[in-house]
Amino acid sequence: MNTSRVFDYNVPTHTVFGAGALNRLHEQALPGRKALLVISNGKSTRAHGYLDRTVEQLQKAGVESVVFDRVEPNPLKDTVMAGGACAREHGCDFIVALGGGSVMDAAKAIAIVATNEGDLWDYVLFGTGKGLPVKEAPLPIVAITTTAGTGSETDGGGVITNPETHEKTAVFDGLRLFPKLAIVDPELMCSVPPAFTAYQGFDALFHSTEGYISKNANLVSDMVAITAIENVGRYLAATVADGHDLSARERVAFGNWLSGVQMVVGTCTSEHSLEHALSAYHQDLPHGAGLIMISRAYYTHFINKGCCPERFVRMAKALGMEDATEPMDFVTALTRLQEACGVADLRMSDYGITPDEFETMARNAVSAMGFLFPADPVELSFEDCVEIYRASYK
């Protein structure tokens, strides 16, 4: 596989990275005077003091804030619409997303509907979306990530679920949805429980493993992806074992941030499309858990097709298997990492998924997230999608 020597690099987000970075929020140039502070519908942001600290930082910067605390783990369209209405009602002129990937993704969609009329799905480009242009500029966004999973703090898209159509798909608006500022403070990630640390870490890992084998790989995406794989792959197990290992948290957070960059300068592949179809129909399935479930069958499929064997060997080495010589060594190294993180035996059936859904989900993946399939190293047919689900089923 040849790496393209042509690339388009534009990652406009200002990032403040490192332990204690949240304490520097008030020193930054903020894009407004009244923020809609978007958090999840869970308890952790309040319980661990992150919300109070963020409000205090905003107050130091002379910024008022209104809290919107309704975002689900897989954010829903109706929640986004409510967030946009809340921003308009309170006269908010920018958004602060405090949380993980779901919160940041929701914030991007809220930024659109806060300034534009109609329904979010009017502006969605895929599936049943109407594909209308976003006429008014979305509200600017500040992203403060409390997890290391999606890289959403440094990319320009978000993923939202429409439960009426069972579509989980992306919202984009050129460069206008990139956060103006990202605060990446690994100290905020120390409270994430072990299982979710693993789910999030593998999501970050797969952003870059997908990018490394994609047809759109280029000089920059290769550099970013392999470094992300090394940082997540070699330090994730340590963060799962000890969530307060700040040194390991920093390396995984760095790998996650790089994986966000990889999605901008490169791309993901259909692995993400296949998982989004799973969690579109099963809202309680964590995205990272779904990716873990299908990952071994997914990569084995492309290895069996003879795709980019040297790249699979290189990724195995990046995961720490220095003596790797065969493409399947990557799946071996991936399996070992999943075992070390305690997630190798995740079962679709535990989330209510049944084999009779696989054809429906495959059609959904091709429709709602079909834009990722052309990046696959070889074409993935409908039958291939179904077989990957079947091979992954437990």
Side-chain angles (χ1 to χ4, degrees), residues 15 23 36 44 92 149 154 168 187 213 216 277 279 291 354 372:
T15 300
N23 299 329
L36 183 73
S44 61
C92 298
T154 191
K168 186 179 177 186
E187 289 182 348
I213 66 169
N216 297 336
S279 47
L291 287 169
T354 57
L372 294 179

Side-chain angles (χ1 to χ4, degrees), residues 15-65:
T15 300
V16 179
F17 183 99
L22 178 59
N23 299 329
R24 298 170 55 194
L25 176 62
H26 72 281
E27 302 170 358
Q28 311 307 315
L30 299 177
R33 306 306 299 172
K34 189 170 186 179
L36 183 73
L37 211 172
V38 179
I39 62 175
S40 78
N41 61 3
K43 300 177 181 178
S44 61
T45 307
R46 285 188 168 94
H48 296 291
Y50 305 153
L51 177 60
D52 288 344
R53 289 177 59 192
T54 301
V55 170
E56 181 183 9
Q57 286 290 311
L58 292 173
Q59 289 173 342
K60 282 186 177 181
V63 172
E64 297 180 62
S65 59

Side-chain angles (χ1 to χ4, degrees), residues 159-218:
V159 176
I160 305 298
T161 298
N162 183 342
E164 295 177 2
T165 61
H166 293 292
E167 290 173 298
K168 186 179 177 186
T169 192
V171 292
F172 297 106
D173 183 42
L175 295 177
R176 296 193 295 184
L177 285 187
F178 279 84
K180 303 298 182 185
L181 170 68
I183 301 292
V184 184
D185 186 342
E187 289 182 348
L188 306 185
M189 303 170 188
C190 290
S191 58
V192 179
F196 283 90
T197 295
Y199 300 159
Q200 294 155 6
F202 276 100
D203 185 12
L205 179 70
F206 293 138
H207 286 153
S208 285
T209 56
E210 291 172 41
Y212 199 64
I213 66 169
S214 83
K215 286 181 179 177
N216 297 336
N218 58 67

Side-chain angles (χ1 to χ4, degrees), residues 121-132 167:
W121 239 243
D122 293 340
Y123 307 103
V124 168
L125 301 175
F126 315 104
T128 62
K130 295 181 179 178
L132 297 179
E167 290 173 298

